[in-house]
Amino acid sequence: MRASDRAYATLLDEIQSGVLRPGAVLGEVEQAARLGVSRTPLREALGRLAGDGLVAQQSPRVTVVTAIDADDIREIFEVRRALEESAARLAAERGDAAAFAELAREFARVDLDGGDAGADGRDAYYALIADFDLALDTAVANDYLTAALRTVRTHLVRVRRLARDNPARLAASVAEHRLIATAISARDADLAAHATHVHLHNALHSILESLAASTSSTTGTVPATAPAPEPAEGPLDLKGRS
């Protein structure tokens, strides 16, 4: 791995995991020394992160980790909705039905309300989500669409941390992904897209609530209720499904 790739991977992981928090200063000299690279590969890594929108340059030698707020999250989800609903439709038309049927069975085996509720269970769930995303990308078979999805997912890792410790939301997300995978395996493009729409609606609402609660606990104030996203269309209600 090139030095710049290694520096990029390390900094990306630290930003996404929250080790480097929004506003953290990434001084060129200090970061190069810490990561064991020279300034040139560090600048290349920082340039890639800036292209991802994860850092911003404040001066020629000082870069900071960008903040992410409710408006940013809403904008990410606007793009995510367009991309993922289209991907679900295409996957239902083009994908390997057996592969998605197996993913649905794997989601059915996840129990975040019971024995899988610990950290290991949550990690296994996120690994299953990664498998689902990979299967979706393979089924879509559209390099432009999957490249756009990868960019959105880069930011989603940061966003998902906000709701990571919400067991009820994670359990609901399991059921939602199970239905999406089942719809794709059944070649039902309309249901796959609609189930994706409902999943994203619920995910956005949960994340905005978590962000508001986090802001309240940090500042000691009671924030105004975060505006909820528009209700999902149609009669589909995934709450309480197993």
Side-chain angles (χ1 to χ4, degrees), residues 36-91:
V37 299
S38 64
R39 294 188 194 180
T40 297
L42 177 68
R43 290 182 191 126
E44 292 177 3
L46 292 175
R48 290 174 62 185
L49 291 167
D52 293 336
L54 297 174
V55 303
Q57 195 169 30
Q58 282 194 337
S59 73
R61 294 180 182 274
V62 176
T63 302
V64 298
V65 177
T66 55
I68 186 164
D69 60 20
D71 288 338
D72 294 319
I73 292 169
R74 291 188 187 93
E75 289 176 4
I76 289 169
F77 269 76
E78 286 177 359
V79 177
R80 187 185 181 193
R81 186 182 301 117
L83 294 174
E84 291 196 9
E85 289 182 27
S86 294
R89 283 187 178 279
L90 290 173

Side-chain angles (χ1 to χ4, degrees), residues 127-152:
L128 184 54
I129 293 295
D131 291 341
F132 176 85
D133 287 345
L134 179 59
L136 195 68
D137 291 350
T138 301
V140 166
N142 182 318
D143 290 342
Y144 297 101
L145 180 55
T146 54
L149 280 169
R150 279 195 297 272
T151 299
V152 170

